[in-house]
Amino acid sequence: TPANSDEAATPTQPNNDNPLIAAPAGPATAGNASSLSLLGQFDLDSAVRSLSWSPDGRHIAIGTNKSATLLEIASGRISNTFDTASLTQLKLAWSPNVNDIAVGGADGAISVYDPASGQLIQSLSAPAQIRDLVWLEDGQYLGALDGDDNFQLWELPKFNLLKKWSLRLAGPVYDVDWSNAAVRLASSEGTGYV
């Protein structure tokens, strides 16, 4: 799909009067959070690996086997598609200010894009696949969990590495999240530990 496409991802349009949720089972879906009724379904013709709502709720970033795509919820149209170095996109994360979107791939690439223009702002290569990405509230720092269970904290826009921690206790780490004001970091392992 070309960048800035006017092509609709589906003929079904969501209702903007209702809160929306997303689920990565099959095609990306949007539904009402209180009743879970389906408001729209968007078939991107590729396996969906990751979803991330924009903080303003107007877009869903979708990582597939082929690309990272932004879907505008109100119109059901693809607003941008990013060319990425990774063949399989594993994680996507919006900055809190909606000005940047981070894409982490199976090859260890982390790229930050301008969601409006689709332009690559900055990129780097981590030593292992990216399992999770999290922004700190101010949007100046990006955390990345890699496939070796290391969590790296980067200062943007130049990707200055500030700190690196090994998070593995008993098994592989799959997810991380910051508390409010980035006071605490939680991680979850495949063995059931948090």
Side-chain angles (χ1 to χ4, degrees):
T1 305
N4 297 317
S5 172
D6 288 331
E7 173 187 341
T10 182
T12 307
Q13 302 299 313
N15 178 344
N16 284 332
D17 295 331
N18 295 313
L20 301 174
I21 62 168
T29 61
N32 181 298
S34 60
S35 66
L36 296 179
S37 61
L38 185 65
L39 298 175
Q41 183 169 326
F42 310 98
D43 187 355
L44 299 175
D45 196 32
S46 184
V48 174
R49 300 289 182 201
S50 181
L51 295 173
S52 180
W53 280 102
S54 63
D56 62 11
R58 295 169 45 190
H59 291 86
I60 297 177
I62 304 165
T64 70
N65 285 341
K66 298 178 181 179
S67 66
T69 301
L70 296 186
L71 181 68
E72 184 182 350
I73 296 304
S75 68
R77 297 193 180 281
I78 295 171
S79 61
N80 233 326
T81 299
F82 305 125
D83 292 328
T84 58
S86 300
L87 295 176
T88 302
Q89 301 308 315
L90 298 178
K91 282 297 175 180
L92 302 166
W94 285 87
S95 66
N97 60 15
V98 194
N99 293 333
D100 303 305
I101 186 162
V103 179
D107 63 356
I110 302 171
S111 301
V112 177
Y113 293 90
D114 177 334
S117 69
Q119 295 295 313
L120 177 66
I121 297 170
Q122 186 73 310
S123 65
L124 67 88
S125 186
Q129 78 176 19
I130 303 303
R131 288 192 184 148
D132 205 1
L133 293 167
V134 291
W135 290 87
L136 270 69
E137 290 179 4
D138 59 9
Q140 294 180 4
Y141 303 94
L142 177 66
L145 173 66
D146 70 27
D148 292 332
D149 301 321
N150 294 311
F151 183 77
Q152 300 168 51
L153 183 62
W154 305 91
E155 182 180 28
L156 298 178
K158 295 188 178 187
F159 273 116
N160 294 324
L161 180 61
L162 298 178
K163 189 76 175 169
K164 180 178 177 179
W165 297 272
S166 176
L167 299 182
R168 181 176 271 215
L169 295 174
V173 179
Y174 291 106
D175 196 24
V176 292
D177 202 6
W178 286 108
S179 66
N180 289 341
V183 175
R184 294 183 176 95
L185 178 70
S187 65
S188 65
E189 294 189 3
T191 57
Y193 288 100
V194 176

